[in-house]
Amino acid sequence: MTSENSVRPELGDVVVGVDGSPSAHTAVLWAAAEADRRGRRLRLVHAADTDRRAYWSNAETMQAVREAGRDLLIRTAEAVHERHPDLAVTRELGRKEAVSGLREAAGDRGTIVVGNRGLGGFSALMLGSVGLGVAARAEVPVVVVRGEDDRPRTGSVTAAVREPADLDWLLLAAAEADARKAALRIVSVWNVLTHVGSVATMLDDLDAIARRRVHETKDLADRVREVYPQLIVGHHVETGTSTPGILTEASAHTDLLVMGRGRRPLGVGPSLGRVAHALIHHAHCPVEIIPAAFVSREEEP
């Protein structure tokens, strides 16, 4: 997407991981509401990991794992149907481990939703690893559901931006806000500590950097308004010394916090920066991370 030919992006199907934990159940209900807003399909995925289990488990154990997974998917689909009777729902018992299974189910256009905790004990640590693994490695948007599920709605979606190139994924955040009939808040954090100590940094230099950040953030907001003229769009620059801290505080006053995920240098390996990592663990609301690879595919004709 570029400023000259930006169009409203389409939000795809919603894929959610199911493991029987309370956190996953909360994520399923969030994902169901999201799919309903989008008018898209909800895909329930239970990663049974049977391909790997087959190396050390007997046939009876494998059959029990499959049956337990099928029962869990059926119960989960029934819970979704009670709240969203007209929603199209599919159930998928995956043979792969969770990260690979969810990525495969999402394809090129889906959005993956995961909970932030597992079944307790070591399983909780493993699901935390799943959430981090999916967020770092998926090439589609990933939502980690956090916060209290009964928290009063604020009617806003917050997008954490850093630079003009963020317009690419910012339009997806705008699409989220539009689907919710919510306002979009664009927040840019100017952390002065990132500039202190650089070559010959002077107060005048810092003032110019701050003014440029304000101008860039306003320009992003104006470009979103061009594509979504009916959407209420606000923007501001926050100044502080802790970007994760400022965004965590902002997450207490919004329904969804959205941010982009860049590529690692030379484009090698998964990438999940310290800010995204901190928000996945500490945000007060669901966090959506949109990778650069997904935006690049959206630009293709």
Side-chain angles (χ1 to χ4, degrees), residues 253-297:
H253 310 288
T254 193
D255 296 329
L256 177 66
L257 182 64
V258 187
M259 64 185 304
R261 192 198 84 204
R263 299 181 178 90
R264 291 187 62 173
L266 304 180
V268 178
S271 171
L272 191 64
R274 67 179 185 86
V275 176
H277 194 280
L279 289 171
I280 285 176
H281 284 90
H282 302 295
H284 300 285
C285 72
V287 177
E288 179 170 9
I289 299 176
I290 303 174
F294 180 78
V295 175
S296 297
R297 285 200 304 272

Side-chain angles (χ1 to χ4, degrees), residues 154-220:
T154 66
S156 72
V157 170
T158 298
V161 301
R162 295 187 302 172
E163 57 187 2
D166 287 342
L167 177 65
D168 293 337
W169 63 260
L170 182 57
L171 290 176
L172 281 163
E176 289 279 10
D178 187 58
R180 294 165 174 268
K181 296 180 171 55
L184 177 66
R185 299 170 55 214
I186 302 174
V187 177
S188 180
V189 178
W190 184 61
N191 188 338
V192 67
L193 294 182
T194 62
H195 302 283
V196 172
S198 59
V199 178
T201 300
M202 304 296 289
L203 289 178
D204 288 347
D205 298 326
L206 294 177
D207 185 58
I209 293 169
R211 289 198 305 272
R212 184 169 69 246
R213 178 66 67 88
V214 171
H215 173 76
E216 291 174 348
T217 305
K218 179 182 181 302
D219 186 59
L220 283 171

Side-chain angles (χ1 to χ4, degrees), residues 141-156:
V142 175
V143 178
V144 179
V145 177
R146 292 195 50 81
E148 301 295 330
D149 57 348
D150 58 351
R151 187 171 69 116
R153 298 294 176 252
T154 66
S156 72

Side-chain angles (χ1 to χ4, degrees), residues 10-195:
E10 291 188 11
L11 299 173
D13 289 348
V14 180
V15 176
V16 61
V18 178
D19 72 352
S21 68
S23 176
H25 183 72
T26 298
V28 165
L29 297 182
W30 190 95
E34 176 71 7
D36 197 32
R37 281 189 292 266
R38 296 182 177 191
R40 303 301 296 245
R41 177 177 50 170
L42 176 69
R43 301 177 65 176
L44 305 176
V45 177
H46 175 66
D49 198 13
T50 51
D51 283 352
R52 186 171 60 91
R53 289 173 183 261
Y55 285 107
W56 68 80
S57 299
N58 58 35
E60 183 177 333
T61 299
M62 295 297 294
Q63 181 63 23
V65 167
R66 295 189 187 95
E67 290 179 358
R70 293 190 189 99
D71 289 345
L72 174 60
L73 287 168
I74 291 171
R75 294 196 305 271
T76 304
E78 290 172 347
V80 169
H81 182 72
E82 289 180 5
R83 296 201 181 194
H84 304 277
D86 298 323
L87 181 63
V89 180
T90 64
R91 307 190 304 267
E92 302 174 35
L93 183 66
R95 296 169 52 185
K96 297 182 179 180
E97 48 81 25
V99 175
S100 298
L102 289 169
R103 292 173 65 196
E104 183 176 280
D108 293 333
R109 293 285 181 259
T111 295
I112 299 174
V113 178
V114 293
N116 70 311
R117 292 184 182 274
L119 295 168
F122 186 71
S123 294
L125 297 177
M126 288 300 292
L127 187 62
S129 298
V130 168
L132 290 172
V134 171
R137 292 165 53 191
E139 295 185 346
V140 297
V142 175
V143 178
V144 179
V145 177
R146 292 195 50 81
E148 301 295 330
D149 57 348
D150 58 351
R151 187 171 69 116
R153 298 294 176 252
T154 66
S156 72
V157 170
T158 298
V161 301
R162 295 187 302 172
E163 57 187 2
D166 287 342
L167 177 65
D168 293 337
W169 63 260
L170 182 57
L171 290 176
L172 281 163
E176 289 279 10
D178 187 58
R180 294 165 174 268
K181 296 180 171 55
L184 177 66
R185 299 170 55 214
I186 302 174
V187 177
S188 180
V189 178
W190 184 61
N191 188 338
V192 67
L193 294 182
T194 62
H195 302 283

Side-chain angles (χ1 to χ4, degrees), residues 211-252:
R211 289 198 305 272
R212 184 169 69 246
R213 178 66 67 88
V214 171
H215 173 76
E216 291 174 348
T217 305
K218 179 182 181 302
D219 186 59
L220 283 171
D222 289 342
R223 296 185 182 212
V224 170
R225 293 186 187 103
E226 292 175 2
V227 182
Y228 290 90
Q230 303 303 317
L231 186 65
I232 297 174
V233 182
H235 67 278
H236 66 282
V237 175
E238 291 276 0
T239 303
T241 58
S242 171
T243 300
I246 290 172
L247 293 178
T248 297
E249 173 61 25
S251 73

